[in-house]
Amino acid sequence: MNSPSSFNPNSLLLAALLLLSQLLLTTCRNLGLHQLNYDGADDSPTYIWPLPSQYTSGNQTLTVNPNLTLFTSGNGGGSRIVSEAFDRYKRIIFEHASSKLPSSGIDYDLDKLTILVHSDDEELQLGVDESYNLLVAARDAHSVIGEVTIEANSVYGALHGLETLSQLCSFDYGTKTVKLYNAPWYIQDKPRFEYRGLLLDTSRHYLPIEIMKQVIESMSYAKLNVLHWHIIDEQSFPLEVPSFPKLWKGAYTKWERYTIDDASEIVDFAKKRGINVMAEVDVPGHAESWGTGYPDLWPSSSCREPLDVSKNFTFDLISGILSDMKKIFPFGLFHLGGDEVNTDCWTSTPHVQQWLQDHNMTAKDAYKYFVLRAQEIAISLNWTPVNWEETFNSFPTSLNPKTVVHNWLGAGVCPKAVAKGFRCIYSNQGFWYLDHLDVPWELVYYAEPLEYITDASQQKLVLGGEVCMWGETADASDVQQTIWPRAAAAAERLWSAQESRSSSTTVLERLEYFRCLLTRRGVPAAPVRNFYARSPPIGPGSCYRQ
């Protein structure tokens, strides 16, 4: 879990004095919809998704200068990640005819944004400090300062502060200016879980680089921080592997591939948005496509998976793949799959059957042997192995203690895993598999990663959770409609305090507002209420009531 914030006491004192000077703020409390009031003047709501940890707000409406100026300070203030993010968010905030908005002759309330970042360490790993403080103070008789301040220990906390700021701002079509409602604001925020993921499957259908970037960009709006890239599966092997160049012969076509440079570009693009990329190489099952380039990996030409456990070449190739991937994916976790392994090919293929007999192994023993040997390769490359829950269900006492167990089949796995000292990621398919189109947003929202876990030390072993966008029925034409807005429901569960959950009616209003925020930003998010996810509207109506 994230460590407590250690912000500069002097800056916090300044924030407190500014807030007290406004004489309009209430005591700090957990954020709920009933605290996000409408501005009486023009009925403009301020909704923040996901809910911050704590806040105070007022009842003022402030205008924001389209020439908002950035000032940075602290050891990390000079980061390009911060300056580039400011430019991105400035384009979002002032998207409506920003060049035509008056830049002089108007006394704007907010002219300046100060971002204070204490650390210049830009390494992005699990557990990086993502907390931030956001202050919006008005210039009035009590204070000569009219500005916005974001304070964070890391550049990645600053990114989250910018996202929250962007959601506080909205364009007023009457005055043609950007306004910030319910000011002054003071927000103290940090995530509940350190792992907040989205799986993207590029094997069942190839997703072009530009589509993947769009998904990553949209993830940052909901403060998700891990892209689980399920690159390869039995249907296709689209990734270039220099050590074994024939592997991507398993791609669907020569046009549906990712070069090493493509993969590096995805990782860099994600990092600039505070998102880790965890790659997956699913072994020993789900690997038929590997044999298109290297048929020796198949037990036989007629029985093509799991990968042939009897040959050292299989493990030499896995070692080569992982060694090449280590140069691209710096994230500390690496997913090794291990799910849905049908060992019939091993027991029905003569040379593999003979190998099993020679090593006094059953097919189940060989499955364990394969998983553990793949884990050893990953650990030798300084990765922490992640495996689907079947490995834990089958041989929990044999797994490397560093293993992260990835739940997907149903409830009760994370409690068992953490009770044995393993860390766990929650992805219960009944709630968080986005390809299950009949799962409504309510089930996504109210699913709880800590279900049945009451011991505090065991709760800390749950890293967080992940919604999974399996690609059998999703490609570039509909993947984002399938992800959003239901992924946002899980994002709030993973970011916001558990006790902040409000009634489904309250959440629905906020989720519909966030869905429309996504569409305004160019994300083709589907209507919230439709029985089947990603289906279009059934008739005319407002975006906010679909």
Side-chain angles (χ1 to χ4, degrees), residues 296-512:
D296 282 350
L297 294 169
W298 292 331
S300 71
S301 59
S302 60
C303 207
R304 299 184 172 187
E305 60 180 16
L307 295 170
D308 193 330
V309 67
S310 71
K311 295 177 182 174
N312 283 328
F313 174 68
T314 300
F315 297 97
D316 291 340
L317 185 138
I318 291 173
S319 180
I321 294 174
L322 268 58
S323 296
D324 284 348
M325 284 188 160
K326 186 63 179 179
K327 301 170 187 175
I328 307 168
F329 300 101
F331 188 43
L333 302 184
F334 192 91
H335 210 300
L336 291 169
D339 62 311
E340 298 180 321
V341 178
N342 182 340
T343 57
D344 288 351
C345 278
W346 289 348
T347 55
S348 64
T349 302
H351 79 269
V352 180
Q353 189 178 41
Q354 183 63 50
W355 183 89
L356 292 173
Q357 292 176 2
D358 292 344
H359 290 80
N360 195 28
M361 285 188 189
T362 65
K364 184 177 180 180
D365 294 333
Y367 169 43
K368 178 175 71 173
Y369 165 81
F370 200 116
V371 169
L372 297 183
R373 190 164 173 182
Q375 284 193 337
E376 289 174 1
I377 296 170
I379 291 170
S380 72
L381 294 167
N382 295 317
W383 265 321
T384 296
V386 184
N387 283 98
W388 294 109
E389 69 174 72
E390 286 94 326
T391 59
F392 172 79
N393 297 339
S394 300
F395 40 88
T397 59
S398 300
L399 283 176
N400 189 289
K402 295 180 180 179
T403 304
V404 177
V405 177
H406 195 165
N407 155 247
W408 74 277
L409 284 171
V413 174
C414 280
K416 293 176 183 176
V418 299
K420 293 184 178 296
F422 291 103
R423 291 177 292 171
C424 193
I425 296 170
Y426 175 89
S427 291
N428 188 329
Q429 65 172 339
F431 309 122
W432 283 10
Y433 267 33
L434 299 174
D435 58 314
H436 293 188
L437 301 182
D438 57 349
V439 175
W441 71 267
E442 295 99 329
L443 290 182
V444 179
Y445 185 80
Y446 288 104
E448 175 49 54
L450 297 184
E451 185 179 36
Y452 307 127
I453 305 173
T454 57
D455 181 86
S457 62
Q458 293 182 8
Q459 289 179 342
K460 292 180 180 179
L461 295 176
V462 179
L463 298 180
E466 171 182 295
V467 285
C468 299
M469 184 60 263
W470 295 107
E472 283 87 348
T473 65
D475 66 2
S477 69
D478 62 359
V479 67
Q480 293 199 79
Q481 293 94 321
T482 316
I483 293 171
W484 304 109
R486 289 183 302 161
E492 181 160 287
R493 178 62 44 249
L494 292 166
W495 179 277
S496 306
Q498 184 178 13
E499 58 269 20
S500 70
R501 293 188 298 186
S502 48
S503 70
S504 58
T505 302
T506 294
V507 176
L508 176 59
E509 293 174 355
R510 293 194 302 105
L511 184 56
E512 287 183 320

Side-chain angles (χ1 to χ4, degrees), residues 194-213:
E194 60 188 359
Y195 185 108
R196 307 178 307 280
L198 167 69
L199 178 146
L200 206 55
D201 174 8
T202 60
S203 174
R204 275 51 179 265
H205 283 99
Y206 174 83
L207 295 176
I209 291 293
E210 188 56 36
I211 297 296
M212 294 189 66
K213 287 182 176 179

Side-chain angles (χ1 to χ4, degrees), residues 53 102 153 160 217 220-221 238 256 266 305 320 334 386 390 406 448 455 491 530 543:
S53 302
N153 287 326
H160 295 316
E217 191 84 66
S220 69
Y221 301 154
E256 295 169 291
I266 287 294
E305 60 180 16
F334 192 91
V386 184
E390 286 94 326
H406 195 165
E448 175 49 54
D455 181 86
N530 288 357
C543 174

Side-chain angles (χ1 to χ4, degrees), residues 169-280:
C169 298
S170 60
F171 184 74
D172 185 309
Y173 285 86
T175 62
K176 297 184 180 178
T177 57
V178 170
K179 292 184 177 179
L180 195 152
Y181 298 95
N182 297 324
W185 286 87
Y186 184 47
I187 295 173
Q188 292 179 292
D189 202 9
K190 63 180 180 180
R192 180 186 177 202
F193 291 103
E194 60 188 359
Y195 185 108
R196 307 178 307 280
L198 167 69
L199 178 146
L200 206 55
D201 174 8
T202 60
S203 174
R204 275 51 179 265
H205 283 99
Y206 174 83
L207 295 176
I209 291 293
E210 188 56 36
I211 297 296
M212 294 189 66
K213 287 182 176 179
Q214 290 172 14
V215 171
I216 292 168
E217 191 84 66
S218 64
M219 289 173 64
S220 69
Y221 301 154
K223 297 185 173 72
L224 294 173
N225 72 340
V226 179
L227 175 70
H228 174 179
W229 190 0
H230 188 86
I231 311 174
I232 302 153
D233 211 288
E234 64 187 58
Q235 291 85 0
S236 73
F237 194 117
L239 181 68
E240 178 185 17
V241 178
S243 297
F244 292 90
K246 296 180 183 178
L247 277 170
W248 69 354
K249 286 187 175 182
Y252 286 122
T253 66
K254 64 181 180 180
W255 301 285
E256 295 169 291
R257 292 173 169 177
Y258 303 104
T259 66
I260 291 297
D261 290 340
D262 290 336
S264 296
E265 184 178 345
I266 287 294
V267 171
D268 182 64
F269 184 89
K271 180 180 180 180
K272 290 178 179 178
R273 287 147 183 84
I275 296 171
N276 292 287
V277 179
M278 177 178 69
E280 179 178 358

Side-chain angles (χ1 to χ4, degrees), residues 276-293:
N276 292 287
V277 179
M278 177 178 69
E280 179 178 358
V281 173
D282 195 350
V283 293
H286 290 279
E288 180 180 343
S289 63
W290 300 34
T292 304

